[in-house]
Amino acid sequence: MTGFAALILGLAQLACPPDVGQIKWMDFEFGFQADGARYQVTASVWDRDRDGRISGKDLVRVDDATRNGDSMGVSDAWFQVGGKLAKGMEGKRKRLQALRAACESRFDVKGVPKITTPGKLAKSLNAWGGVVRQSPTERLEADMEGWASELCKEGQHMEQSELANRLAAKAAHRHGKIAQRRRQAIAHEVAKRWAMQCAHLKVPPKLTFE
């Protein structure tokens, strides 16, 4: 397939001329609960009916999916969206602050199933791939990476040692089954990787002499 027009950021409406084709939304992330599990999906969506929103008959390609934080090993899985699932995805799209989009020419993907509810999508995801389970320490490290990313966005300088202590403290509540010494060791490893991003150093004012 061939892409047209420039990629854009933000929610300004992207108009696709009839001779170009359809809007493609990229890296669209949405989550849902089904069968007692939490699913998170990253997908590309094509506006097949050209109504400027995610709705029935639109085409979806699942690029990645997790179940309770574990990778499901799903990629390049296609379906046609509709019903309750389409409404939920559109609601998430409207709340996003930014979403990459482009105009693409139309193309055909034959034999794709139509999925209309979160429950049906969960069953399809489980059929398309197998859950790749993370070890407790792998999940701990992944959580610490996410916490460090948030802590370093606060805009204030944080020493590596302080970051490690804060990561270890947060881990004590969620990952208490892992030995304290192991939690602290991983916290220091993650803090070392994020040291530069957390170094929000203030530039001293210029000195003037009269």
Side-chain angles (χ1 to χ4, degrees):
M1 65 191 77
T2 304
F4 293 83
L7 300 182
I8 63 167
L9 285 172
L11 295 179
Q13 181 62 45
L14 174 64
C16 285
D19 59 337
V20 173
Q22 60 198 336
I23 297 174
K24 174 188 177 183
W25 292 289
M26 294 166 281
D27 301 323
F28 175 59
E29 298 182 358
F30 65 98
F32 61 92
Q33 293 276 150
D35 301 326
R38 178 67 181 174
Y39 293 83
Q40 191 71 26
V41 176
T42 302
S44 298
V45 185
W46 285 264
D47 187 21
R48 304 291 277 183
D49 55 6
R50 296 174 50 82
D51 63 356
R53 59 191 181 92
I54 299 176
S55 57
K57 297 183 180 180
D58 285 349
L59 189 63
V60 181
R61 184 189 67 207
V62 177
D63 300 314
D64 186 40
T66 62
R67 182 178 186 271
N68 291 334
D70 294 316
S71 172
M72 300 189 72
V74 177
S75 64
D76 200 29
W78 299 77
F79 68 91
Q80 180 183 324
V81 69
K84 184 178 179 180
L85 180 59
K87 291 181 180 179
M89 291 173 63
E90 171 60 13
K92 174 62 183 294
R93 187 194 68 84
K94 290 171 67 175
R95 294 192 298 272
L96 290 175
Q97 295 297 317
L99 183 62
R100 291 199 305 152
C103 285
E104 277 200 354
S105 56
R106 290 186 64 85
F107 60 93
D108 291 323
V109 180
K110 298 181 179 180
V112 298
K114 184 173 183 178
I115 300 178
T116 58
T117 67
K120 291 181 179 178
L121 178 56
K123 290 181 180 180
S124 293
L125 290 172
N126 284 303
W128 289 332
V131 173
V132 180
R133 304 220 176 256
Q134 293 178 304
S135 69
T137 54
E138 286 174 334
R139 186 172 294 179
L140 167 61
E141 188 168 355
D143 281 347
M144 284 188 176
E145 289 283 348
W147 298 336
S149 175
E150 292 302 317
L151 290 169
C152 291
K153 287 180 180 178
E154 295 180 357
Q156 295 183 352
H157 174 68
M158 188 181 305
E159 294 290 343
Q160 181 179 324
S161 58
E162 180 184 355
L163 176 60
N165 289 337
R166 293 181 68 172
L167 293 176
K170 289 176 70 69
H173 299 288
R174 186 174 297 184
H175 300 276
K177 293 183 179 180
I178 298 177
Q180 180 181 5
R181 181 175 295 181
R182 182 59 177 150
R183 294 198 308 266
Q184 291 175 337
I186 296 175
H188 281 284
E189 292 173 5
V190 174
K192 184 176 181 180
R193 291 198 291 268
W194 283 87
M196 291 298 296
Q197 289 90 328
C198 277
H200 300 288
L201 299 176
K202 293 183 178 180
V203 179
K206 294 181 178 180
L207 298 178
T208 58
F209 299 90
E210 295 182 355

